[in-house]
Amino acid sequence: MSLRIVVCVKYVPDATGDRKFADDLTVDRDDVDGLLSELDEYAVEQALQIAEEADDAEVTVLTVGPEDAKDALRKALSMGADKAVHVEDDDLHGTDVMGTSLVLAKAIEKTGYDVVIAGMASTDGTMGVLPAILAERLGVPQVTLLSEVSIEDGVVKGRRDGDSASEQLEASLPAVVSVTDQSGEARYPSFKGIMAAKKKPVESLELDDLDIDADEVGLAGAWTAVDSAAERPARTAGTIVKDEGEGGKQLAEFLAGQKFI
Ligand SMILES: Cc1cc2nc3c(=O)[nH]c(=O)nc-3n(C[C@H](O)[C@H](O)[C@H](O)COP(=O)(O)OP(=O)(O)OC[C@H]3O[C@@H](n4cnc5c(N)ncnc54)[C@H](O)[C@@H]3O)c2cc1C
């Protein structure tokens, strides 16, 4: 039977662009360019490698996000994933990690899975907790933060590198896995892959399709609330020291004045 791999990929605001909060203190996702979270490219890469090793496997990429999040799915499809699922619904606006994990869990159950692979953290929220919450919701083992991962005979095995030790972990499938940025460079989509991705299926789901009520997600259903947010003050021009023989002394005085030395 085919090994069903679901990869969770997030569409995030481009960190090199200007990012701001909307009036309701949610992240403004409308006026900024976005992209597939770079850390999720590692998850796609590991899924593709596992699929290549297996006799028969299917890789589905899944995102919860706005209309533009399809760009993240297309990128993953052009890397080599087989199909995509996009959960999009106006009522998702303001959903926190508890709501996001609920939506992902229901979509994964509907899609069918043997293993779920996620990134170590998104590059915007960076909580790094979603895979663990997801495993809890699905009621399956979690093997997180792996820098090496393989699947054989219904068992997922991997290595988690800590500061003082490396752990060898394993769990029977179905399971949730997350992989780090040390798991291996993600491949670039080839021209052939980009063209093929245009024809791969992208299934669109709304909350109704997943039997989720609007009040379980969104700002109303969030377990967390942002009370206030302020823009970081613009950077000042700084102090320019013109070296006319006294540059070193002036530099030392500046650092001492700031209590750096
Ligand atoms: C349209 C939209 C509006 C949102 N509004 C808010 C808000 O107002 N307040 C708020 O607190 N949160 C909001 N969220 C949720 C938030 O952006 C995160 O998705 C969620 O809180 C998970 O936190 P994280 O990104 O830090 O996850 P992490 O735990 O850092 O992510 C780990 C991994 O989980 C997977 N993952 C995470 N998010 C998604 C996703 N959306 N789709 C697929 N895979 C995913 C990825 O594989 C990622 O590498 C919103 C999300 C969306 C899509």
Side-chain angles (χ1 to χ4, degrees):
M1 198 180 122
S2 181
L3 178 72
R4 297 163 302 168
I5 308 171
V6 177
V7 192
C8 294
V9 294
K10 188 175 183 189
Y11 179 75
V12 296
D14 186 346
T16 59
D18 277 343
R19 289 172 290 168
K20 49 186 182 343
F21 290 103
D23 291 342
D24 62 1
L25 299 183
T26 59
V27 174
D28 184 354
R29 290 167 199 268
D30 291 334
D31 293 329
V32 288
D33 290 333
L35 74 175
L36 167 63
S37 176
E38 282 162 35
L39 291 171
D40 292 347
E41 291 184 17
Y42 295 95
V44 177
E45 177 61 39
Q46 289 310 308
L48 296 174
Q49 287 189 24
I50 289 167
E52 284 157 7
E53 287 290 316
D55 288 339
D56 184 16
E58 183 177 60
V59 178
T60 305
V61 284
L62 164 66
T63 199
V64 177
E67 167 67 21
D68 288 349
K70 283 200 173 58
D71 290 353
L73 294 176
R74 286 281 167 223
K75 168 100 187 258
L77 291 171
S78 65
M79 287 171 72
D82 300 299
K83 61 189 180 77
V85 176
H86 181 194
V87 186
E88 188 200 357
D89 197 302
D90 288 346
D91 287 328
L92 283 170
H93 176 80
T95 305
D96 68 358
V97 68
M98 298 309 290
T100 304
S101 59
L102 173 71
V103 178
L104 285 170
K106 294 266 190 168
I108 289 164
E109 277 167 346
K110 189 176 170 68
T111 302
Y113 72 104
D114 296 300
V115 62
V116 178
I117 305 184
M120 62 192 278
S122 67
T123 54
D124 63 343
T126 59
M127 294 176 83
V129 292
L130 191 130
I133 302 174
L134 191 55
E136 193 64 28
R137 287 201 183 277
L138 292 168
V140 301
Q142 50 171 301
V143 201
T144 53
L145 301 174
L146 300 183
S147 44
E148 206 176 82
V149 58
S150 63
I151 292 180
E152 215 176 310
D153 299 330
V155 176
V156 56
K157 294 185 182 178
R159 196 185 75 236
R160 183 193 287 153
D161 294 321
D163 285 342
S164 55
S166 285
E167 298 166 292
Q168 294 291 338
L169 305 168
E170 63 177 65
S172 53
L173 300 183
V176 173
V177 168
S178 73
V179 298
T180 71
D181 55 356
Q182 301 302 306
S183 56
E185 280 301 303
R187 67 193 70 187
Y188 286 105
S190 63
F191 180 69
K192 198 172 149 210
I194 293 169
M195 296 313 285
K198 293 182 199 285
K199 294 191 185 134
K200 291 181 178 173
V202 179
E203 183 184 6
S204 292
L205 298 174
E206 296 181 352
L207 290 178
D208 273 354
D209 300 313
L210 300 173
D211 291 328
I212 297 174
D213 292 333
D215 59 9
E216 292 179 86
V217 293
L219 277 175
W223 290 29
T224 51
V226 179
D227 288 334
S228 66
E231 267 184 48
R232 201 186 292 172
R235 284 190 185 183
T236 54
T239 309
I240 297 171
V241 175
K242 198 167 172 207
D243 188 6
E244 289 168 343
E246 295 276 299
K249 191 166 165 247
Q250 281 176 276
L251 192 57
E253 278 168 5
F254 174 81
L255 292 173
Q258 301 290 321
K259 298 204 179 346
F260 288 135
I261 56 173

